[in-house]
Amino acid sequence: MKVRFAHQLRAIAALSVVVNHFWGIFFSPGVRALIGTPASFVPVKPAYTQHVLSPAWGGFLYGAFGVAVFFLISGFVIPISLRNISTGQFLARRFFRIYPVYWFCLLISIAMYFICSWYWSTPLSDRISTSFLARNIPLIHSASGLPSLDFVSWSLAVELKFYVIFALVSLAGKSAHQVMRLSIGFMALCCVVAFFSTHGMNSASLVSYAVSDMKFISFMFLGCLFYYVLYRELSAKVALGYGAIVYALFVTINSFYETGLFGALTKNYTYALMLFSLCYLFRGRFKQNRMLDFLADISFPLYLVHSMIGYVAMPILISKGLSFTFAWMISLGVAVLVAFLVHRYVEIPANNFGKKLSGSKESRAAEYGRVA
């Protein structure tokens, strides 16, 4: 059985991130300068995009909200992926789930930098350097204080940390109670370290870097709780108790990195949690939808390629006389096409190879389907 609500939420999350980049961050002169678009290019910002980076009451931010939904989905499906296979098999499959697609999409992003430099006759971006690429390829760039070459893969580095932490916790305890208790203990320890790393400890230290991502990883453990309730490994009452503790730790850790207890990230991650919870409660009403199912299928490569394709293609199209509206629509169409091709010819074969290489098939594979 495919858990349709979680699968289709991938489409919502991907579109939310696309809106954030196409309608919001695209208008940042700093972002265009990093890619190589000349300062003389100043696009007119339509009225319908004004709210994206200047949120009204409630502080809704498309990007943070979309990434939070992705994190919840990851937390929900990872316990499925670890069923009836060893930790080594799990990590091997995660490797082939992430890296082949990421590396191929990274090549597309690099090509976009070259196209931008060629079209505008501007110097090639400083990001296309050996040192920058050497840290982005293995997804360790944030540990070195470097941003993502494609503006989005920072979240993959967070996912990888979650995979490792969850695998280690699962080694120590197999039952849902054991996993959640060990996880909460680990998160509480990280909460203490996060406090000291933001109140006197060297903020550039490796320890500070390691715990800063716990604000995201703690949130992903909330997704695990939905899985445990759905498959009756925890009662709803017990899961709510664990969830309240995990959410409190998430808010506390994040408060060390934002101004106030409920900053922008906390608010938008809470909105994502509310949507995910609502969809979970009404999961039986989710039906097949060709558009949502298609976008959900290609959501991973779409997430990786859309920003660079949009940031490079939209200025070129606008310089040719097209309006911003037509420019982003065409760019989105190109991004969807590229994502579909990557999904079909890279993502699916890589996933199948990873399963074949790691051996043993899960007995529940047919039940859980592609959502895992």
Side-chain angles (χ1 to χ4, degrees), residues 8-89:
Q8 291 184 348
L9 276 177
R10 294 183 190 274
I12 304 301
L15 290 176
S16 183
V17 175
V18 169
V19 168
N20 180 67
H21 289 141
F22 280 23
W23 291 9
I25 295 177
F26 167 73
F27 293 99
S28 169
V31 169
R32 296 197 305 274
L34 287 172
I35 295 170
T37 306
S40 58
F41 175 81
V42 182
V44 177
K45 191 172 186 178
Y48 66 82
T49 67
Q50 298 292 336
H51 69 288
V52 175
L53 294 185
S54 300
W57 182 86
F60 181 80
L61 294 171
Y62 288 91
F65 172 81
V67 171
V69 173
F70 274 129
F71 283 159
L72 283 168
I73 296 170
S74 290
F76 179 73
V77 303
I78 285 305
I80 300 173
S81 302
L82 197 51
R83 287 290 175 182
N84 301 320
I85 60 175
S86 68
T87 302
Q89 289 173 316

Side-chain angles (χ1 to χ4, degrees), residues 142 156-166 209-210 213 217:
S142 53
L156 295 188
V158 175
E159 293 242 8
L160 292 173
K161 295 184 188 73
F162 174 66
Y163 298 160
V164 173
I165 292 171
F166 191 87
Y209 153 73
D213 280 346
I217 294 172

Side-chain angles (χ1 to χ4, degrees), residues 4 8 14 34 42 74 98 110 117 135 180 197 212 215-216 218 249 260 270 274 306 308 312 326 334 338 363 370:
R4 194 176 298 280
Q8 291 184 348
L34 287 172
V42 182
S74 290
I98 295 294
I110 292 170
S117 176
R135 289 172 175 82
M180 292 311 303
S197 70
S212 67
K215 59 181 177 284
F216 306 116
S218 60
L249 287 168
T270 302
M274 292 168 64
H306 78 275
M308 285 302 302
V312 172
F326 279 114
V334 172
V338 171
S363 61
R370 295 175 58 189

Side-chain angles (χ1 to χ4, degrees), residues 13 29 39 42 61 68 134 152 166 180 184 200 226 259-260 268 272 278 293 298 309 323 349 352:
V42 182
L61 294 171
V152 295
F166 191 87
M180 292 311 303
I184 287 172
F226 287 92
T259 302
N268 283 275
L278 189 64
D293 290 336
I298 67 168
I309 288 176
S323 67
N352 291 338

Side-chain angles (χ1 to χ4, degrees), residues 190-207:
C190 289
C191 184
V192 174
V193 176
F195 173 82
F196 285 108
S197 70
T198 55
H199 292 75
M201 185 186 292
N202 180 10
S203 60
S205 68
L206 183 61
V207 172

